[in-house]
């Protein structure tokens, strides 16, 4: 659906040049909800704006639905943009127009007749749950309602792609969840391909099937959401996950673990990752019975990623005659991610 190759964007000014994007390569499949996460200034919003050529790339290619975007004439680009909707962090609604008028605006620009406009606006407001707000003005709406108007407007011309630029970062947590649920519902009902730019890992967790991590203008890691959450390969990804999972041992545990390691002649302190159905099984109880070791849980966390359970435990194992090591080998053999924790 979207194929990006060697995409580079360089800004030039009197003070010098800045490379906002550096050799980006991405494949986004039809119907996917694809997340792009990075810190402020990493290049994620520039990448999004390059996809619909609001920013013209310095080099590289962007192909959408078989069409090479960078080679289009102004007239062709105008037509192609009708297939690409966009929603923004700060809504960008027309304050002088009602909710109905804001959603109708792109349809008027596209030259639809009044009957078609009326039908489309009515259907879209019903889709986003704002039928009762058709005659209200943006100043009379909450932040979540404004974003729903923005979503309805972005869908007005039946796009095949929806670009979401920090669409929930101006909203409170409860409203954020309702907007993310709406986007997921729209994806399932209409089959629209979505590209979601965010700096919030919780947004990725809630709705994205795949994710790319951007750092200093480059994609440093990409894969399925579950892969990135369960086995992050880069420090950037681990930093994003710290607030949600125990990807790094909490500071308050380190002194305790150091003392434990010093006193365990034949024991280990380990971090164990649980993924999928195995989270519901009594694995630690089985290990205790099978190998005769003691298991003391020091810390734990469990959550759900795209319907798949995910958890992390920090466990102290004690045993004699190599039983602790055999227990750890067993855990690895049955598919758990096991890491011995050594604090120097």
């Amino acid at each position: 659906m979207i194929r990006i190759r060697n995409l580079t964007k360089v800004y030039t000014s009197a003070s010098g040049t800045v490379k906002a994007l550096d050799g980006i390569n991405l494949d986004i499949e039809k119907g996917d909800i694809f997340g792009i996460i990075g810190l402020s200034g990493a290049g994620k919003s520039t990448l999004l704006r390059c996809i619909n050529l609001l920013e013209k790339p310095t080099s590289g290619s962007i192909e959408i639905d078989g069409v090479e975007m960078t080679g289009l004439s102004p007239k062709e680009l105008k037509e192609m943009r009708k297939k690409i909707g966009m929603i923004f962090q700060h809504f960008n609604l027309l304050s002088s127009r009602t909710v109905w008028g804001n959603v109708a605006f792109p349809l008027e620009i596209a030259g639809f007749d009044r009957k078609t406009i009326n039908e489309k606006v009515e259907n879209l407001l019903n889709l986003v749950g704002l039928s009762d707000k058709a005659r209200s003005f943006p100043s009379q709406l909450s932040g979540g309602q404004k974003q729903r108007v923005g979503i309805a407007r972005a869908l007005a011309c039946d796009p095949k792609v929806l670009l979401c630029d920090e669409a929930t970062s101006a909203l409170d947590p409860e409203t954020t969840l309702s907007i993310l649920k709406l986007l997921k519902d729209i994806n399932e009902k209409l089959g629209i391909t979505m590209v979601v730019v965010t700096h919030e890992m919780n947004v990725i967790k809630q709705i994205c099937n795949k994710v790319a991590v951007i750092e200093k203008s480059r994609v440093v890691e990409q894969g399925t959401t579950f892969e990135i959450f369960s086995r992050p390969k880069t420090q950037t990804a681990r930093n994003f996950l710290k607030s949600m999972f125990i990807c790094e041992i909490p500071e308050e545990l380190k002194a305790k673990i150091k003392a434990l390691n010093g006193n365990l002649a034949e024991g280990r302190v380990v971090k164990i990752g649980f993924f999928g159905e195995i989270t519901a099984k009594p694995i630690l109880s089985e290990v205790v019975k099978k190998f005769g070791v003691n298991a003391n849980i020091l810390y734990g966390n469990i959550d759900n990623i795209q319907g798949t359970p995910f958890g992390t435990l920090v466990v102290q194992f004690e045993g004699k005659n190599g039983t602790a090591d055999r227990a750890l080998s067993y855990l690895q053999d049955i598919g758990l991610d096991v890491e011995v924790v050594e604090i120097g």
Side-chain angles (χ1 to χ4, degrees), residues 52-69:
N52 62 1
L53 261 66
L54 289 177
E55 294 282 356
K56 187 174 181 180
T58 303
S59 61
S61 65
I62 302 169
E63 186 179 294
I64 299 179
D65 204 21
V67 176
E68 172 51 56
M69 297 290 290

Side-chain angles (χ1 to χ4, degrees), residues 109-130:
I109 296 292
F112 285 89
D113 61 76
R114 182 54 53 183
K115 182 176 182 293
T116 301
I117 291 175
N118 288 339
E119 290 176 354
K120 278 183 167 286
V121 173
E122 182 179 348
N123 290 336
L124 286 166
L125 291 182
N126 183 59
L127 178 66
V128 301
L130 289 179

Side-chain angles (χ1 to χ4, degrees), residues 290-304:
K290 187 177 183 69
F291 296 97
V293 295
N294 293 321
N296 177 28
I297 298 175
L298 303 177
Y299 205 90
N301 189 17
I302 190 166
D303 211 316
N304 190 287

